Amino acid sequence: LAKTTQPISMDSYEGQEVNITCSHNNIATNDYITWYQQFPSQGPRFIIQGYKTKVTNEVASLFIPADRKSSTLSLPRVSLSDTAVYYCLVEGNTPLVFGKGTRLSVIA
Amino acid sequence: KAGVTQTPRYLIKTRGQQVTLSCSPISGHRSVSWYQQTPGQGLQFLFEYFSETQRNKGNFPGRFSGRQFSNSRSEMNVSTLELGDSALYLCASSQEADRALNTEAFFGQGTRLTVV
C-alpha cells in the first residue's frame, strides 16, 4: 500500500488560495490520486481525482508532476466553510487507506 | 438519488454487549466498505464487501464482523463491546463494476457508538 505524507495542519485567511501538498513516493503505475474532505461528525466527501498533469473541477484543482511522487490540491479563494480535514489517498486495487489528513482552518 | 444511509445515527451500549450497525448503499452500488474513526487512530479500514463476498479485511479482532445481503445492504456487528470501541463508524459505497477502474466512494454520515 502506498503511503502518503501531508502537513498536519494549515491556516489560511478567507479569500486566499490554499495549496496542500501530498507526498506519495511509492505510488504504483495503476494508482490514482484522490482527495477527500471531511467535516466533523460527517463522512468524507470526494473532492477530486487524477492520474497525471492537472485536473480541475468546480471545487478544486489537482496538480500532479510527471514523476507522480507528489500532488498538490489547490482550493481557490477559500471561505470559512472550507474549514475541514483534507485527506490525500493513493488508490489502486486495494481499499481506501486514509492517513491523518491536513486540518485546514480558514480564518475571517 | 438517495445517498448512503446508516442507521442508527447514535447508539449507547454497555461494555460486554453486542451491536449491529446497518448501511444501505446508493442504488446500483455493489461495493460497501466499513471504517472506524477515532480521534487517536483516525480513519481505519474494517472490511469491504462486493456482491455479498468479503473482499478485504482490516486489522481488527474477530469481534468485528460484517456481511452483505443480495440487495447490497450491509451490516457490521461488534460483539463483547469494549470502551475502546467507542467511535464513529462509517460506511462507504461505490459502483466498482470493474475492480481495475478507480471509482468514487460515497460515505454515509456514520453511526456514533458510545460504549459505557
Side-chain angles (χ1 to χ4, degrees):
Chain A
L1 295 175
K3 185 175 178 178
T4 60
T5 304
Q6 51 183 124
I8 293 174
S9 64
M10 294 181 70
D11 293 333
S12 176
Y13 287 101
E14 272 192 297
Q16 288 188 326
E17 177 185 78
V18 171
N19 296 309
I20 307 174
T21 297
C22 177
S23 297
H24 27 79
N25 292 317
N26 298 321
I27 190 168
T29 304
N30 294 331
D31 289 340
Y32 280 72
I33 298 150
T34 310
W35 287 79
Y36 282 81
Q37 174 194 55
Q38 186 179 26
F39 299 111
S41 297
Q42 292 188 27
R45 184 175 73 101
F46 174 92
I47 300 176
I48 196 166
Q49 183 182 74
Y51 185 81
K52 61 180 179 180
T53 62
K54 177 183 174 182
V55 179
T56 298
N57 61 22
E58 64 278 4
V59 177
S61 294
L62 178 60
F63 299 92
I64 306 168
D67 65 6
R68 303 200 328 123
K69 293 184 184 298
S70 67
S71 59
T72 300
L73 174 72
S74 181
L75 304 172
R77 298 179 299 280
V78 294
S79 64
L80 295 176
S81 63
D82 293 318
T83 294
V85 178
Y86 293 81
Y87 296 95
C88 164
L89 285 81
V90 172
E91 291 193 68
N93 194 27
T94 53
L96 298 182
V97 177
F98 287 83
K100 296 295 185 184
T102 296
R103 185 172 299 277
L104 172 65
S105 297
V106 180
I107 307 162
Chain B
K1 192 174 186 181
V4 177
T5 303
Q6 292 189 245
T7 56
R9 287 293 311 279
Y10 303 92
L11 204 50
I12 300 176
K13 288 286 189 178
T14 305
R15 272 183 302 175
Q17 287 187 313
Q18 67 93 26
V19 67
T20 299
L21 311 182
S22 178
C23 172
S24 293
I26 291 173
S27 178
H29 286 192
R30 292 191 291 164
S31 174
V32 173
S33 299
W34 288 90
Y35 293 81
Q36 180 197 65
Q37 186 170 32
T38 59
Q41 298 298 319
L43 269 160
Q44 292 188 286
F45 170 73
L46 280 158
F47 23 67
E48 177 192 16
Y49 289 88
F50 183 79
S51 294
E52 301 180 68
T53 300
Q54 187 179 86
R55 193 157 57 175
N56 284 291
K57 190 178 192 303
N59 190 25
F60 277 81
R63 299 185 297 107
F64 292 81
S65 63
R67 58 178 176 169
Q68 186 180 32
F69 302 96
S70 58
N71 62 358
S72 293
R73 191 178 69 86
S74 177
E75 288 181 347
M76 67 161 283
N77 184 277
V78 188
S79 62
T80 320
L81 284 166
E82 301 176 359
L83 295 179
D85 297 332
S86 295
L88 179 67
Y89 289 87
L90 291 160
C91 163
S93 79
S94 58
Q95 283 186 305
E96 287 203 66
D98 184 340
R99 198 65 175 119
L101 297 175
N102 288 281
T103 57
E104 177 182 346
F106 295 82
F107 283 80
Q109 292 207 299
T111 294
R112 173 75 63 185
L113 172 65
T114 302
V115 182
V116 297

